[in-house]
Amino acid sequence: MRIDLNADLGEAFGRWELGDDDALLDVVSSANVACGFHAGDPTVLRRTCNLAARRGVAIGAHTGYRDLAGFGRRFVDVPPAELANDVLYQLGALRQFADVAGTRVSYIKPHGALYNAIVHDERQAEAVVDAVLDFDPALTVLGLPGSAWLRLAAEAGLPVMHEVFADRAYTPEGRLVSRREPGAVLHDPVEVAERCVRMATEGEIVAIDGSVLPVRADSICVHGDTQGAVELARAVRTGLNEAGVTVAAFAMSPV
């Protein structure tokens, strides 16, 4: 068995620092790199791409709403054509820095409020799909199982991968519990590692109400800004290895 382990990285901006990218890049197999709209400036993008390339970590575009103040976690009612252009702009920026680092953009994973919106918002999901098709019709897309985003991407012929979350609670409907709700973010490394092994080996997860949900897990995400993210990621990788699961990138484009 094998599974990808990803983290959101490159989310610093100017003098504002967030997360420990250096440490996480020694643990994960894929890096979701902020592209400048919710976080990340040109210097941060270049540094993150260079670090990922040196470690053989796959680079994905972590595209979001134009919302630096809200860290991309506030819904923005962007017209579809404008949203498609915003996503294409971010993809192009990251591709340039990845090229300079000697690697490629291997996949796209929308960020924050955009990620959640295109679970059900067909118009915005279609806009993101359109941007990916214009950028590279062979680019792999990563998202929540059962989302409009993945369905429309698959219908358009894009390679689709399903993501689960190590450090987030799930509703009985298989959606992420809002960060505004208590218990939405998990911090116990032992608990997080055990639930990730269960997702990878048994294809199921326990929702916040105790019900058991089936999940398809191609990639597990540990949020880089979660408190104790490095410890969580290490615990997850160790747990997966001990369960006989190989951690490897699902998408690593050749240079």
Side-chain angles (χ1 to χ4, degrees):
M1 299 182 64
R2 59 181 285 165
I3 196 166
D4 178 54
L5 182 60
N6 76 74
D8 303 340
L9 303 176
E11 292 184 319
F13 192 90
R15 296 186 58 156
W16 178 55
E17 296 184 4
L18 181 67
D20 189 343
D21 290 359
D22 286 341
L24 280 169
L25 283 166
D26 286 332
V27 183
V28 300
S29 49
S30 295
N32 317 314
V33 181
C35 300
F37 273 30
H38 78 276
D41 59 40
T43 298
V44 171
L45 263 71
R46 183 164 192 170
R47 177 179 181 275
T48 308
C49 287
N50 287 342
L51 290 173
R54 291 171 194 160
R55 288 168 169 83
V57 173
I59 289 176
H62 206 30
T63 55
Y65 291 128
R66 192 191 299 267
D67 180 29
L68 278 174
F71 196 61
R73 287 183 174 158
R74 302 180 295 193
F75 173 74
V76 183
D77 190 12
V78 187
E82 183 179 335
L83 179 58
N85 290 335
D86 283 352
V87 172
L88 185 60
Y89 181 96
Q90 293 173 81
L91 285 165
L94 184 62
R95 175 166 61 186
Q96 186 58 56
F97 286 115
D99 285 349
V100 170
T103 185
R104 300 280 177 86
V105 176
S106 298
Y107 65 97
I108 176 175
K109 172 192 166 179
H111 163 79
L114 179 58
Y115 185 102
N116 291 324
I118 59 179
V119 169
H120 53 80
D121 190 318
E122 301 263 340
R123 295 174 71 245
Q124 289 206 351
E126 186 173 11
V128 181
V129 169
D130 288 343
V132 177
L133 291 172
D134 285 339
F135 177 77
D136 180 358
L139 188 69
T140 298
V141 306
L142 179 63
L144 196 71
S147 62
W149 155 239
L150 291 192
R151 173 175 53 80
L152 292 172
E155 291 173 358
L158 293 167
V160 168
M161 288 290 169
H162 301 79
E163 180 178 41
V164 293
F165 290 84
D167 51 4
R168 292 294 304 278
Y170 280 76
T171 70
E173 296 73 34
R175 303 296 184 241
L176 298 180
V177 174
S178 169
R179 288 179 178 269
R180 297 184 179 92
E181 300 296 325
V185 181
L186 308 177
H187 298 284
D188 183 353
V190 174
E191 176 191 2
V192 168
E194 289 176 349
R195 75 199 299 262
C196 288
V197 170
R198 184 170 181 175
M199 287 189 286
T201 61
E202 301 179 37
E204 60 186 26
I205 189 171
V206 179
I208 197 165
D209 68 346
S211 59
V212 178
L213 309 175
V215 293
R216 178 173 174 181
D218 298 312
S219 184
I220 297 173
C221 174
V222 175
H223 285 96
D225 66 322
T226 295
Q227 184 178 0
V230 176
E231 184 181 3
L232 289 177
R234 287 172 177 159
V236 169
R237 181 147 192 164
T238 297
L240 291 169
N241 290 339
E242 290 177 349
V245 180
T246 299
V247 174
F250 62 80
M252 189 67 181
S253 301
V255 177

